[in-house]
Amino acid sequence: MHWTEMLMPVVSGFALTIMAMPIFIGYFRMKQLGQTTREDGPKWHEVKTGTPTMGGLVFLIAIVITSVWVGIWQKSLTISLGLLMFILVLYGILGFLDDFIKVFKKRNLGLTSKQKLIGQIIGGIVFFAVYRIEGLDTLLYLPFFGEVNIGWLYAVFVIVWLVGFSNAINLTDGLDGLVAGTASIAYGAYAVLAFKQGQTDILIFCLAVIGGLVGFFFFNKKPAKIFMGDVGSLALGGGLAAVSILLHQEWSLLLIGLIFVIETASVMIQVTSFKLTGKRVFKMSPIHHHFEMSGWSEWRVVLTFWAVGLVAAALALVIIL
Protein backbone atom coordinates (compact mmCIF):
# COMPACT_ATOMS: atom_id res chain seq x y z
CA MET A 1 0.00 0.00 0.00
CA HIS A 2 1.63 3.24 -1.19
CA TRP A 3 1.78 6.21 1.18
CA THR A 4 -0.59 8.21 -1.03
CA GLU A 5 -3.13 5.36 -0.78
CA MET A 6 -2.62 5.31 2.99
CA LEU A 7 -3.88 8.88 3.12
CA MET A 8 -7.30 7.83 1.82
CA PRO A 9 -8.64 6.12 4.99
CA VAL A 10 -7.27 8.96 7.15
CA VAL A 11 -8.86 11.65 4.98
CA SER A 12 -12.13 9.71 4.68
CA GLY A 13 -12.45 9.10 8.43
CA PHE A 14 -11.57 12.74 9.12
CA ALA A 15 -13.90 14.23 6.49
CA LEU A 16 -16.94 12.13 7.42
CA THR A 17 -16.50 12.95 11.11
CA ILE A 18 -15.89 16.66 10.69
CA MET A 19 -18.88 17.05 8.33
CA ALA A 20 -21.37 15.15 10.47
CA MET A 21 -20.33 16.30 13.95
CA PRO A 22 -21.78 19.86 13.79
CA ILE A 23 -25.20 18.40 12.86
CA PHE A 24 -24.95 15.93 15.75
CA ILE A 25 -23.96 18.65 18.23
CA GLY A 26 -26.75 20.90 16.93
CA TYR A 27 -29.35 18.18 17.51
CA PHE A 28 -28.21 17.60 21.11
CA ARG A 29 -28.27 21.34 21.84
CA MET A 30 -31.70 21.74 20.27
CA LYS A 31 -33.07 18.90 22.42
CA GLN A 32 -31.11 20.21 25.45
CA LEU A 33 -29.48 16.82 25.96
CA GLY A 34 -26.09 16.63 27.58
CA GLN A 35 -23.62 15.05 29.94
CA THR A 36 -24.29 15.04 33.68
CA THR A 37 -21.04 15.56 35.61
CA ARG A 38 -20.24 12.96 38.29
CA GLU A 39 -21.12 14.17 41.79
CA ASP A 40 -17.85 12.73 43.13
CA GLY A 41 -15.81 14.34 40.33
CA PRO A 42 -13.74 17.55 40.55
CA LYS A 43 -15.95 20.55 41.37
CA TRP A 44 -14.45 22.59 38.52
CA HIS A 45 -15.85 20.03 36.04
CA GLU A 46 -19.39 21.13 36.93
CA VAL A 47 -19.19 23.75 34.14
CA LYS A 48 -19.14 20.82 31.70
CA THR A 49 -22.62 19.69 32.74
CA GLY A 50 -24.95 19.91 29.77
CA THR A 51 -22.21 19.47 27.17
CA PRO A 52 -23.46 17.19 24.34
CA THR A 53 -22.14 13.65 24.55
CA MET A 54 -22.19 10.39 22.53
CA GLY A 55 -19.96 11.98 19.85
CA GLY A 56 -18.26 8.62 19.53
CA LEU A 57 -21.26 7.44 17.52
CA VAL A 58 -20.28 9.82 14.71
CA PHE A 59 -16.66 8.74 14.40
CA LEU A 60 -17.59 5.04 14.76
CA ILE A 61 -19.92 5.31 11.76
CA ALA A 62 -17.17 7.19 9.88
CA ILE A 63 -14.64 4.44 10.71
CA VAL A 64 -16.95 1.62 9.56
CA ILE A 65 -17.91 3.38 6.30
CA THR A 66 -14.26 4.16 5.60
CA SER A 67 -13.04 0.64 6.44
CA VAL A 68 -15.63 -0.91 4.11
CA TRP A 69 -15.11 1.29 1.04
CA VAL A 70 -11.31 1.46 1.32
CA GLY A 71 -11.24 -2.29 2.06
CA ILE A 72 -13.20 -2.96 -1.15
CA TRP A 73 -11.02 -0.50 -3.11
CA GLN A 74 -7.82 -2.15 -1.85
CA LYS A 75 -9.27 -5.68 -2.20
CA SER A 76 -8.65 -6.07 1.55
CA LEU A 77 -12.17 -6.60 2.88
CA THR A 78 -11.06 -9.65 4.89
CA ILE A 79 -12.33 -11.64 7.86
CA SER A 80 -9.75 -9.85 10.03
CA LEU A 81 -11.13 -6.45 9.02
CA GLY A 82 -14.63 -7.82 9.64
CA LEU A 83 -13.60 -8.96 13.14
CA LEU A 84 -12.22 -5.51 13.96
CA MET A 85 -15.42 -3.82 12.83
CA PHE A 86 -17.48 -6.41 14.73
CA ILE A 87 -15.75 -5.62 18.04
CA LEU A 88 -15.85 -1.88 17.34
CA VAL A 89 -19.59 -1.98 16.59
CA LEU A 90 -20.60 -4.42 19.37
CA TYR A 91 -18.69 -2.59 22.10
CA GLY A 92 -19.96 0.67 20.60
CA ILE A 93 -23.56 -0.60 20.91
CA LEU A 94 -22.97 -1.49 24.59
CA GLY A 95 -21.63 2.02 25.17
CA PHE A 96 -24.47 3.54 23.17
CA LEU A 97 -27.11 1.78 25.28
CA ASP A 98 -25.33 2.94 28.44
CA ASP A 99 -25.18 6.56 27.20
CA PHE A 100 -28.73 6.48 25.81
CA ILE A 101 -30.23 5.44 29.16
CA LYS A 102 -28.27 8.17 30.98
CA VAL A 103 -28.92 10.97 28.48
CA PHE A 104 -32.33 10.27 26.98
CA LYS A 105 -33.95 8.41 29.91
CA LYS A 106 -32.40 10.87 32.42
CA ARG A 107 -31.11 8.07 34.65
CA ASN A 108 -27.77 8.53 36.45
CA LEU A 109 -26.81 4.90 35.89
CA GLY A 110 -27.06 3.34 32.44
CA LEU A 111 -26.39 -0.35 31.90
CA THR A 112 -25.15 -2.16 34.99
CA SER A 113 -21.50 -3.26 35.09
CA LYS A 114 -22.71 -6.87 34.89
CA GLN A 115 -24.78 -6.21 31.73
CA LYS A 116 -21.83 -4.52 30.01
CA LEU A 117 -19.45 -7.27 31.08
CA ILE A 118 -21.72 -10.02 29.72
CA GLY A 119 -21.93 -8.19 26.37
CA GLN A 120 -18.16 -7.72 26.25
CA ILE A 121 -17.51 -11.39 27.08
CA ILE A 122 -19.97 -12.57 24.38
CA GLY A 123 -18.09 -10.34 21.91
CA GLY A 124 -14.80 -11.93 22.98
CA ILE A 125 -16.19 -15.46 22.55
CA VAL A 126 -17.49 -14.71 19.03
CA PHE A 127 -14.18 -13.01 18.14
CA PHE A 128 -12.18 -16.07 19.25
CA ALA A 129 -14.53 -18.54 17.55
CA VAL A 130 -14.21 -16.78 14.16
CA TYR A 131 -10.46 -16.34 14.78
CA ARG A 132 -10.05 -20.12 15.17
CA ILE A 133 -12.38 -20.96 12.26
CA GLU A 134 -10.07 -18.86 10.10
CA GLY A 135 -7.23 -21.14 11.18
CA LEU A 136 -5.32 -18.51 13.13
CA ASP A 137 -3.00 -19.96 15.77
CA THR A 138 -3.14 -19.80 19.56
CA LEU A 139 0.52 -18.98 20.02
CA LEU A 140 1.21 -16.38 22.67
CA TYR A 141 4.61 -14.82 23.20
CA LEU A 142 5.68 -15.20 26.82
CA PRO A 143 8.77 -13.33 28.08
CA PHE A 144 11.74 -15.69 28.69
CA PHE A 145 9.82 -18.60 27.10
CA GLY A 146 9.23 -17.36 23.57
CA GLU A 147 6.08 -18.35 21.68
CA VAL A 148 3.95 -20.92 23.50
CA ASN A 149 0.83 -22.62 22.16
CA ILE A 150 -1.63 -22.17 25.04
CA GLY A 151 -4.61 -23.74 23.23
CA TRP A 152 -8.03 -22.95 24.71
CA LEU A 153 -6.42 -20.66 27.31
CA TYR A 154 -5.90 -18.25 24.44
CA ALA A 155 -9.69 -17.77 24.41
CA VAL A 156 -9.52 -16.66 28.05
CA PHE A 157 -6.65 -14.32 27.21
CA VAL A 158 -8.61 -12.81 24.28
CA ILE A 159 -11.64 -12.12 26.47
CA VAL A 160 -9.56 -10.58 29.27
CA TRP A 161 -7.63 -8.45 26.75
CA LEU A 162 -10.74 -7.14 24.99
CA VAL A 163 -12.70 -6.45 28.18
CA GLY A 164 -9.69 -5.04 30.03
CA PHE A 165 -8.61 -2.50 27.45
CA SER A 166 -12.17 -1.57 26.54
CA ASN A 167 -12.71 -0.53 30.16
CA ALA A 168 -9.23 1.00 30.42
CA ILE A 169 -9.90 3.56 27.69
CA ASN A 170 -13.33 4.17 29.22
CA LEU A 171 -11.60 5.09 32.52
CA THR A 172 -9.12 7.33 30.69
CA ASP A 173 -11.85 9.36 29.00
CA GLY A 174 -12.19 12.08 31.64
CA LEU A 175 -10.51 15.18 30.21
CA ASP A 176 -11.08 17.17 27.01
CA GLY A 177 -8.99 15.70 24.19
CA LEU A 178 -7.21 13.11 26.37
CA VAL A 179 -8.44 9.92 24.69
CA ALA A 180 -8.61 11.51 21.22
CA GLY A 181 -4.84 12.06 21.44
CA THR A 182 -3.66 8.98 23.33
CA ALA A 183 -5.79 6.59 21.25
CA SER A 184 -4.59 8.22 18.00
CA ILE A 185 -0.98 7.62 19.11
CA ALA A 186 -1.69 3.98 20.02
CA TYR A 187 -3.52 3.24 16.75
CA GLY A 188 -0.70 5.04 14.91
CA ALA A 189 1.87 2.67 16.42
CA TYR A 190 -0.17 -0.34 15.31
CA ALA A 191 -0.59 1.17 11.85
CA VAL A 192 3.23 1.10 11.58
CA LEU A 193 3.32 -2.55 12.71
CA ALA A 194 0.51 -3.50 10.32
CA PHE A 195 2.38 -1.80 7.46
CA LYS A 196 5.60 -3.64 8.34
CA GLN A 197 3.72 -6.97 8.47
CA GLY A 198 2.01 -6.24 5.16
CA GLN A 199 -1.44 -6.57 6.75
CA THR A 200 -3.26 -4.00 4.63
CA ASP A 201 -6.67 -4.79 6.12
CA ILE A 202 -5.56 -3.95 9.68
CA LEU A 203 -3.62 -0.92 8.41
CA ILE A 204 -6.78 0.46 6.77
CA PHE A 205 -8.72 0.06 10.02
CA CYS A 206 -6.05 1.79 12.14
CA LEU A 207 -5.77 4.70 9.68
CA ALA A 208 -9.56 5.10 9.54
CA VAL A 209 -9.65 5.29 13.35
CA ILE A 210 -6.91 7.94 13.38
CA GLY A 211 -8.79 10.02 10.79
CA GLY A 212 -12.01 9.79 12.79
CA LEU A 213 -10.28 10.72 16.05
CA VAL A 214 -8.46 13.71 14.55
CA GLY A 215 -11.78 14.96 13.18
CA PHE A 216 -13.41 14.42 16.58
CA PHE A 217 -10.59 16.28 18.37
CA PHE A 218 -11.52 19.53 16.64
CA PHE A 219 -14.78 19.45 18.63
CA ASN A 220 -13.43 17.73 21.76
CA LYS A 221 -10.40 19.94 22.51
CA LYS A 222 -10.76 22.21 25.54
CA PRO A 223 -13.34 23.62 26.00
CA ALA A 224 -15.08 20.57 24.54
CA LYS A 225 -18.18 21.12 22.43
CA ILE A 226 -18.93 17.39 22.72
CA PHE A 227 -17.73 14.29 24.59
CA MET A 228 -17.29 10.86 23.00
CA GLY A 229 -19.26 9.01 25.70
CA ASP A 230 -19.06 5.29 26.43
CA VAL A 231 -20.13 4.60 22.84
CA GLY A 232 -16.72 5.89 21.73
CA SER A 233 -14.40 4.87 24.55
CA LEU A 234 -15.58 1.25 24.96
CA ALA A 235 -15.38 0.72 21.18
CA LEU A 236 -11.90 2.26 20.86
CA GLY A 237 -10.53 0.09 23.68
CA GLY A 238 -12.00 -3.12 22.29
CA GLY A 239 -10.77 -2.26 18.80
CA LEU A 240 -7.25 -1.54 20.04
CA ALA A 241 -7.03 -4.87 21.89
CA ALA A 242 -8.38 -6.70 18.82
CA VAL A 243 -5.72 -5.06 16.61
CA SER A 244 -2.92 -6.19 18.96
CA ILE A 245 -4.29 -9.76 18.88
CA LEU A 246 -4.63 -9.94 15.08
CA LEU A 247 -1.09 -8.58 14.64
CA HIS A 248 0.15 -11.11 17.23
CA GLN A 249 1.75 -8.29 19.17
CA GLU A 250 -0.47 -8.73 22.21
CA TRP A 251 1.96 -7.75 24.99
CA SER A 252 3.05 -4.65 23.09
CA LEU A 253 -0.25 -3.07 24.13
CA LEU A 254 1.02 -2.82 27.72
CA LEU A 255 3.62 -0.34 26.42
CA ILE A 256 1.81 1.19 23.44
CA GLY A 257 -1.24 1.66 25.67
CA LEU A 258 0.81 2.59 28.75
CA ILE A 259 -1.41 5.57 29.64
CA PHE A 260 -4.50 3.32 29.68
CA VAL A 261 -2.64 0.79 31.87
CA ILE A 262 -1.57 3.51 34.33
CA GLU A 263 -5.09 4.98 34.50
CA THR A 264 -6.60 1.55 35.24
CA ALA A 265 -3.88 0.67 37.76
CA SER A 266 -4.49 3.95 39.62
CA VAL A 267 -8.17 3.06 40.10
CA MET A 268 -7.33 -0.48 41.26
CA ILE A 269 -4.69 0.81 43.71
CA GLN A 270 -7.05 3.48 45.05
CA VAL A 271 -9.94 1.06 45.61
CA THR A 272 -7.72 -1.64 47.17
CA SER A 273 -5.96 0.82 49.48
CA PHE A 274 -9.22 2.38 50.67
CA LYS A 275 -10.84 -1.00 51.34
CA LEU A 276 -7.83 -2.37 53.23
CA THR A 277 -6.60 0.71 55.10
CA GLY A 278 -9.32 3.34 54.75
CA LYS A 279 -6.72 5.63 53.16
CA ARG A 280 -6.40 6.92 49.60
CA VAL A 281 -3.11 6.78 47.68
CA PHE A 282 -4.19 9.46 45.18
CA LYS A 283 -6.14 12.66 45.77
CA MET A 284 -8.62 11.27 43.23
CA SER A 285 -8.64 8.46 40.68
CA PRO A 286 -8.28 7.87 37.77
CA ILE A 287 -4.86 9.46 38.05
CA HIS A 288 -5.54 12.35 35.62
CA HIS A 289 -7.81 13.82 38.32
CA HIS A 290 -5.00 13.46 40.88
CA PHE A 291 -2.81 15.78 38.81
CA GLU A 292 -5.69 18.22 38.36
CA MET A 293 -6.20 18.35 42.13
CA SER A 294 -2.45 18.88 42.52
CA GLY A 295 -2.83 22.16 40.63
CA TRP A 296 -2.12 21.11 37.04
CA SER A 297 -4.26 22.71 34.35
CA GLU A 298 -6.36 20.37 32.22
CA TRP A 299 -4.22 21.15 29.17
CA ARG A 300 -1.01 20.39 31.08
CA VAL A 301 -2.33 16.98 32.14
CA VAL A 302 -3.52 16.16 28.61
CA LEU A 303 -0.28 17.24 26.89
CA THR A 304 1.86 15.40 29.46
CA PHE A 305 -0.14 12.20 29.03
CA TRP A 306 0.11 12.54 25.24
CA ALA A 307 3.89 12.91 25.55
CA VAL A 308 4.20 9.85 27.79
CA GLY A 309 2.00 7.86 25.40
CA LEU A 310 4.09 8.95 22.41
CA VAL A 311 7.41 8.04 24.06
CA ALA A 312 6.04 4.65 25.20
CA ALA A 313 4.66 3.86 21.70
CA ALA A 314 7.95 4.88 20.06
CA LEU A 315 9.88 2.70 22.53
CA ALA A 316 7.61 -0.25 21.74
CA LEU A 317 8.23 0.18 17.99
CA VAL A 318 12.00 0.37 18.53
CA ILE A 319 11.91 -2.86 20.60
CA ILE A 320 9.69 -4.72 18.09
CA LEU A 321 11.23 -3.45 14.84
Side-chain angles (χ1 to χ4, degrees):
M1 197 173 182
H2 193 264
W3 72 268
T4 52
E5 295 174 319
M6 285 163 58
L7 282 174
M8 294 307 295
V10 178
V11 171
S12 175
F14 174 82
L16 290 171
T17 301
I18 212 157
M19 285 190 297
M21 198 66 78
I23 301 167
F24 193 81
I25 294 171
Y27 174 79
F28 266 65
R29 285 181 176 163
M30 181 181 69
K31 295 290 185 180
Q32 295 185 318
L33 298 166
Q35 174 107 344
T36 302
T37 309
R38 281 170 48 194
E39 291 178 7
D40 58 343
K43 296 302 178 189
W44 54 90
H45 279 208
E46 288 176 1
V47 296
K48 299 184 179 189
T49 296
T51 302
T53 187
M54 297 175 71
L57 181 63
V58 176
F59 66 70
L60 289 189
I61 292 170
I63 291 164
V64 171
I65 291 172
T66 298
S67 296
V68 170
W69 85 257
V70 178
I72 293 170
W73 173 55
Q74 285 289 322
K75 296 183 176 62
S76 298
L77 199 58
T78 62
I79 296 296
S80 290
L81 184 55
L83 276 174
L84 291 173
M85 288 191 286
F86 165 72
I87 289 296
L88 191 82
V89 170
L90 176 64
Y91 282 31
I93 288 171
L94 292 172
F96 174 84
L97 291 173
D98 193 43
D99 290 334
F100 184 85
I101 293 167
K102 291 176 188 172
V103 176
F104 287 86
K105 301 296 183 183
K106 305 293 184 184
R107 276 168 37 193
N108 288 333
L109 294 173
L111 294 177
T112 64
S113 298
K114 188 177 180 180
Q115 287 170 330
K116 281 190 279 190
L117 181 62
I118 290 170
Q120 289 169 318
I121 289 173
I122 290 171
I125 292 170
V126 173
F127 179 94
F128 179 75
V130 176
Y131 178 94
R132 288 299 289 147
I133 290 169
E134 279 301 291
L136 296 170
D137 62 59
T138 52
L139 294 174
L140 182 66
Y141 176 80
L142 298 175
F144 310 112
F145 292 97
E147 285 192 328
V148 179
N149 192 334
I150 59 173
W152 65 267
L153 283 174
Y154 195 77
V156 178
F157 173 83
V158 165
I159 292 167
V160 170
W161 218 236
L162 291 171
V163 173
F165 277 94
S166 175
N167 292 322
I169 290 191
N170 187 233
L171 287 172
T172 306
D173 185 31
L175 300 179
D176 298 352
L178 179 56
V179 165
T182 49
S184 293
I185 291 165
Y187 275 98
Y190 282 117
V192 173
L193 293 176
F195 177 75
K196 287 290 185 180
Q197 289 187 16
Q199 299 212 48
T200 305
D201 46 2
I202 299 174
L203 174 60
I204 289 167
F205 179 80
C206 290
L207 294 174
V209 173
I210 293 167
L213 285 175
V214 172
F216 174 71
F217 176 72
F218 277 87
F219 304 94
N220 182 240
K221 67 182 188 295
K222 187 174 175 64
K225 296 182 179 70
I226 191 164
F227 302 133
M228 69 170 64
D230 286 5
V231 61
S233 58
L234 289 177
L236 288 173
L240 195 62
V243 166
S244 73
I245 292 165
L246 291 173
L247 288 174
H248 259 321
Q249 294 290 346
E250 299 93 341
W251 294 116
S252 66
L253 189 49
L254 295 176
L255 193 51
I256 289 173
L258 181 63
I259 288 297
F260 314 128
V261 174
I262 291 171
E263 293 271 24
T264 306
S266 72
V267 174
M268 294 168 70
I269 291 167
Q270 187 86 323
V271 171
T272 303
S273 175
F274 190 74
K275 282 186 176 179
L276 294 178
T277 68
K279 295 180 181 178
R280 292 178 171 86
V281 176
F282 307 104
K283 293 178 181 179
M284 185 177 286
S285 67
I287 200 169
H288 55 255
H289 289 320
H290 170 82
F291 288 109
E292 277 193 293
M293 295 189 80
S294 299
W296 287 31
S297 69
E298 191 166 350
W299 260 123
R300 183 183 176 188
V301 179
V302 169
L303 291 175
T304 302
F305 279 39
W306 284 3
V308 171
L310 187 60
V311 170
L315 181 62
L317 290 177
V318 168
I319 293 168
I320 294 166
L321 300 177

